[in-house]
Amino acid sequence: MASSATLLDASARGRTGSALSLNNGADVLIDGAPPAGVHNENELKMKRALTKPLEYGDKEGSQASSRPRIAIIIPCYRVRVHIETVVANVKDRVDHVFVVDDKCPESSGAFVAERFAGTNVTVIFHETNQGVGGAMMTGYKAAAENYDILVKMDGDDQMDPQHLNELIAPVVLQDADYSKGNRFHAPSFLNQMPKIRIFGNAMLSFLNKMSSGYWKLMDPTNGYTCLDAKVVNMIDFDKIDRRFFFESDMIFQLGLIRAVIIDVPIPARYGDEVSNLSARKVLVPFFRKHLTNFCSRFFYQYVLRDFNIATIWTLFGVLMFGFGVVLGSTYLVRAFATGEQTALGIIMMSAINVTIGLQFLLSALAYDINAEPSRAIARYLHQPPGAGR
């Protein structure tokens, strides 16, 4: 393998001489008080995690296995103009880069293989176009065999590698199984984003909350993500959408296994690249897919896996609300058609059913919001000695 990555370089003196030098130039003391370059406890924890002691049967003196090994996966399709810059900017920050050429008509993969021959860059070629989801699933499976932290970065140079530390921090610290960028964290982040994208992403974010159960997440189509490799074997890749719905479907599948997902504030960055995703074209198809996922999640989470009070609230809520609406609408139409007044009892019955049914549904919604996973499952998915090394 090529020389150790700059971002994660843990020299021998880091273990015996008390200091570790990272790419930001700050020395971090392994024991004792944090130096001036470390601003908070989480930052110190992360840098210490990158030099964690040997475990899972590693041999003494094994430098490569003393810290999480990071790989970046770049799906590649019609990005020849930007791909060289993207790879060059990240290859020295991580242990390995996997470029998946998804039958790119511009031969981007061959271009990368030629430019970065003999480095820590591996190019995987698809014989047929499988979409961004198919490319990522190929990359995940290849990288999970030997690496611990798997980062997705698109090849269009919209994702700033300067934010890589922030993105991987929750996963390295085992606070999350999956982290993703969020371009909606602050108004200033949206200055470069086209208005139609802001509207489209806002709508898609709400649909994603409903279908996945991750009510605190925004920007589900953000492709700057980080996954703990120990979770890969728990994900049913065969059921994940292989096209533009991939990121949203990935979140849904992670919800089924109760994985913890954290949003990381990362501003949008746009240049002269052309996006293949149109908000106008995907809203209706995405709505159908989110509706399907919502129904699947409700059945699996609230009927098959855990029949609880939220299940009862939902069932009674739907029945009572639906009955009230149908009853009231029927007599309202009849009143307009015949001019006859509707009996007060009918009006009250309709109003009571709608009100109580709505209250049941709101209670179920509150339960669902509070039921979001809070403890990373990767903590308990320890690999056997030698696995993934």
Side-chain angles (χ1 to χ4, degrees):
M1 181 174 288
S3 60
S4 299
T6 305
L7 175 64
L8 304 173
D9 186 19
S11 61
R13 72 186 184 90
R15 189 174 293 154
T16 60
S18 81
L20 166 69
S21 181
L22 296 178
N23 68 333
N24 60 4
D27 286 331
V28 180
L29 296 181
I30 302 304
D31 297 304
V38 179
H39 304 293
N40 56 59
E41 182 180 354
N42 276 345
E43 184 177 351
L44 178 60
K45 285 169 60 180
M46 177 181 172
K47 292 178 179 179
R48 283 179 172 172
L50 296 176
T51 54
K52 64 184 180 182
L54 299 179
E55 55 184 354
Y56 309 139
D58 296 332
K59 295 181 180 180
E60 189 66 35
S62 174
Q63 293 282 329
S65 57
S66 64
R67 53 167 173 77
R69 288 153 52 88
I70 298 179
I72 286 184
I73 303 163
I74 305 175
C76 193
Y77 187 79
R78 293 188 184 277
V79 290
R80 186 184 178 104
V81 174
H82 302 282
I83 190 65
E84 182 179 9
T85 300
V86 173
V87 175
N89 286 340
V90 300
K91 73 181 186 67
D92 292 328
R93 295 173 178 269
V94 296
D95 293 283
H96 208 85
V97 177
F98 291 86
V99 175
V100 183
D101 184 312
D102 192 31
K103 194 62 177 177
C104 177
E106 301 172 345
S107 300
S108 300
F111 175 71
V112 171
E114 178 184 351
R115 289 302 180 101
F116 297 96
T119 67
N120 61 335
V121 178
T122 297
V123 181
I124 304 173
F125 294 89
H126 279 174
E127 295 183 357
T128 59
N129 178 265
Q130 300 182 30
V132 61
M136 282 307 303
M137 284 179 259
T138 297
Y140 278 146
K141 292 174 183 177
E145 295 180 1
N146 296 293
Y147 299 93
D148 306 291
I149 307 295
L150 314 180
V151 177
K152 174 184 179 291
M153 180 179 287
D154 290 338
D156 55 9
D157 201 27
Q158 286 191 9
M159 298 161 188
D160 192 345
Q162 297 297 327
H163 296 285
L164 185 60
N165 275 7
E166 297 99 297
L167 182 69
I168 70 173
V171 180
V172 171
L173 296 173
Q174 294 190 323
D175 290 332
D177 303 296
Y178 185 79
S179 60
K180 52 175 287 296
N182 178 14
R183 296 165 291 184
F184 287 77
H185 183 77
S188 59
F189 287 5
L190 303 175
N191 290 337
Q192 297 183 29
M193 184 180 291
K195 298 298 185 292
I196 185 63
R197 283 196 183 185
I198 295 176
F199 174 78
N201 276 299
M203 295 298 100
L204 292 175
S205 292
F206 179 75
L207 292 176
N208 186 78
K209 292 171 187 284
M210 289 286 294
S211 67
S212 68
Y214 290 101
W215 290 93
K216 298 179 178 64
L217 293 185
M218 280 291 293
D219 199 12
T221 60
N222 194 305
Y224 204 0
T225 67
C226 177
L227 175 69
D228 193 308
K230 293 192 290 295
V231 179
V232 168
N233 290 333
M234 297 187 66
I235 302 172
D236 190 348
F237 283 125
D238 292 335
K239 294 184 178 179
I240 296 181
D241 191 272
R242 293 178 177 270
R243 299 295 171 177
F244 289 126
F245 195 62
F246 165 71
E247 284 88 2
S248 298
D249 218 15
M250 184 73 173
I251 293 174
F252 166 73
Q253 291 294 332
L254 287 168
L256 294 183
I257 62 174
R258 303 292 292 169
V260 172
I261 303 178
I262 289 181
D263 265 343
V264 178
I266 297 178
R269 185 174 77 167
Y270 297 103
D272 58 355
E273 67 283 339
V274 178
S275 175
N276 294 317
L277 181 64
S278 170
R280 295 186 184 92
K281 294 180 180 179
V282 303
L283 273 178
V284 174
F286 274 30
F287 176 80
R288 291 198 300 265
K289 293 175 184 291
H290 279 301
L291 181 60
T292 300
N293 282 352
F294 171 77
C295 295
S296 300
R297 180 174 76 89
F298 178 80
F299 176 76
Y300 181 74
Q301 185 172 340
Y302 289 105
V303 178
L304 188 62
R305 183 169 64 186
D306 183 19
F307 194 99
N308 54 41
I309 190 62
T311 314
I312 298 174
W313 285 337
T314 303
L315 296 178
F316 274 92
V318 170
L319 291 174
M320 295 185 71
F321 184 82
F323 174 75
V325 169
V326 171
L327 180 67
S329 300
T330 300
Y331 278 90
L332 181 63
V333 171
R334 179 182 298 180
F336 275 112
T338 64
E340 296 180 2
Q341 291 187 348
T342 303
L344 181 60
I346 297 296
I347 297 175
M348 291 299 296
M349 184 180 297
S350 174
I352 289 173
N353 274 275
V354 168
T355 302
I356 296 178
L358 183 60
Q359 182 60 52
F360 278 147
L361 291 175
L362 290 176
S363 297
L365 177 61
Y367 184 99
D368 191 48
I369 293 174
N370 290 321
E372 187 171 323
S374 59
R375 179 169 295 185
I377 60 175
R379 296 182 181 185
Y380 312 105
L381 300 176
H382 296 307
Q383 298 174 351
R389 300 289 177 182

